[in-house]
Amino acid sequence: MIPVGVVLGEDACWQAIDRERIGLADLLEGLTDAEWQTPTQCGDWVVRDVAAHLTVAARYGRGDVLREMVRARGRWNRMIHDSAVREGARSPEEIVALLRSIVGSRRLAPLTTRREPLLDLLVHGQDIALALGRDRPMPPEAARDAADRVWTMRLPPRPWPLPRARLVATDVEWTRGSGEEIRGPVSALLLLLTGREEAARARLVYGGSSGAGG
């Protein structure tokens, strides 16, 4: 049974998205040129590519997406990668300005809901912060919404396999799965769910078993 409040309401979700956009823009604005070029755990993306990626969904219309898909020969993941690298070629000032320009925007990429931009911002915000050695706390309620979205994701397809475990958040009410128990802050569980186990492991406790949790 899903606890009440797992899914943020429409306005609350968009407010969380805007706070993440503003906070990330503030972080990026103070980076050095070398920091913008710092490698991240997102394949060959450096910080500027990840940051640029976070501006795309709210700016690209259907025609832009179609053009990018043609360039990528119909490969969705290739389209996401290549569009980020092209946008990442902009100056740092342009990328920050674009991120600030979409504050208040509710435009969505095709096949997505309002939960995807929040998920993207929270997880990629951590990718940037971890690469730079910065602390960037996640709001627990927003992280819970994102974690639940990953767990229930069907379309677009979930790019990460679900852990065969019972996940238990220790800072908000949220439990999913069955098997060996993994406990920790919901922000760490979100990183685990999105394939960032190394970054999450230090804040998680592994052990024990229990029944299904959703």
Side-chain angles (χ1 to χ4, degrees):
M1 187 173 182
I2 302 175
V4 174
V6 163
V7 180
L8 291 178
E10 183 172 358
D11 287 342
C13 186
W14 284 111
Q15 288 165 9
I17 288 167
D18 283 343
R19 285 193 294 269
E20 291 301 309
R21 287 169 172 165
I22 292 168
L24 187 58
D26 289 345
L27 184 156
L28 294 169
E29 205 161 38
L31 298 187
T32 65
D33 289 343
E35 287 175 319
W36 277 97
Q37 293 298 128
T38 303
T40 71
Q41 295 299 307
C42 301
D44 63 351
W45 284 359
V46 297
V47 165
R48 67 191 305 150
D49 300 323
V50 179
H53 166 70
L54 292 172
T55 74
V56 168
R59 295 171 40 237
Y60 279 24
R62 291 185 181 274
D64 299 306
V65 174
L66 179 60
R67 184 185 67 247
E68 292 293 333
M69 283 295 287
V70 170
R71 283 179 171 175
R73 299 182 180 180
R75 292 176 291 176
W76 182 261
N77 289 335
R78 172 56 61 180
M79 184 271 286
I80 292 173
H81 172 275
D82 291 353
S83 63
V85 172
R86 272 192 291 274
E87 292 289 340
R90 294 176 181 269
S91 70
E93 293 77 14
E94 285 181 286
I95 295 171
V96 172
L98 286 171
L99 191 55
R100 293 197 188 282
S101 76
I102 60 174
V103 173
S105 172
R106 297 193 175 189
R107 171 181 261 180
L108 293 169
L111 305 178
T112 66
T113 71
R114 65 179 183 269
R115 303 180 82 187
E116 274 70 50
L118 180 58
L119 168 61
D120 237 16
L121 281 157
L122 290 172
V123 174
H124 283 314
Q126 290 300 304
D127 291 330
I128 290 172
L130 290 166
L132 297 172
R134 305 289 182 90
D135 183 36
R136 182 171 167 76
M138 285 193 213
E141 292 78 11
R144 176 173 59 181
D145 185 287
D148 203 70
R149 177 55 180 152
V150 176
W151 192 276
T152 59
M153 188 177 286
R154 299 293 181 272
L155 189 69
R158 183 192 310 107
W160 317 279
L162 292 177
R164 296 182 178 179
R166 182 173 186 255
L167 308 184
V168 181
T170 54
D171 53 348
V172 291
E173 186 182 358
W174 188 77
T175 301
R176 285 285 194 175
S178 61
E180 178 189 23
E181 192 168 277
I182 303 176
R183 302 176 63 88
V186 70
S187 56
L189 295 176
L190 176 58
L191 292 178
L192 175 68
L193 283 167
T194 53
R196 292 150 173 88
E197 184 173 5
E198 184 178 347
R201 183 175 289 276
R203 296 191 292 142
L204 297 174
V205 176
Y206 295 73
S209 62
S210 187

